Amino acid sequence: MTQSKKAPPFVPTEFHVTTVADEQGALGILCIQTTGGQLDVALDREAAEALIQAASRLQAKLGENDSQSV
């Protein structure tokens, strides 16, 4: 297997949230404007909770890095 270079990640520049509903229920829409374009993600309650948990873990790791650089 050949190794390829990864493209650098897109940098978020704006976040917007909204909800949509139909007969099956509600979904949250997370819109992230990035340096590479817009990313729209539809989330149900379970996916939103998973995203919150992941963001909390990331925030904690970033906090660890901040305290190590002091």
Side-chain angles (χ1 to χ4, degrees):
M1 183 163 49
T2 60
Q3 200 171 26
S4 62
K5 278 190 167 183
K6 282 182 132 181
F10 295 123
V11 178
T13 57
E14 291 181 35
F15 292 89
H16 299 277
V17 294
T18 190
T19 57
V20 295
D22 63 12
E23 60 277 348
Q24 295 181 359
L27 287 176
I29 308 296
L30 174 61
C31 302
I32 306 169
Q33 186 66 43
T34 75
T35 53
Q38 184 165 314
L39 173 65
D40 297 327
V41 182
L43 304 162
D44 63 7
R45 182 178 291 275
E46 186 177 340
E49 286 295 326
L51 183 62
I52 290 167
Q53 290 175 3
S56 293
R57 287 192 303 270
L58 180 58
Q59 188 176 32
K61 287 189 176 291
L62 291 171
E64 290 172 7
N65 290 342
D66 288 344
S67 64
Q68 291 175 1
S69 64
V70 174

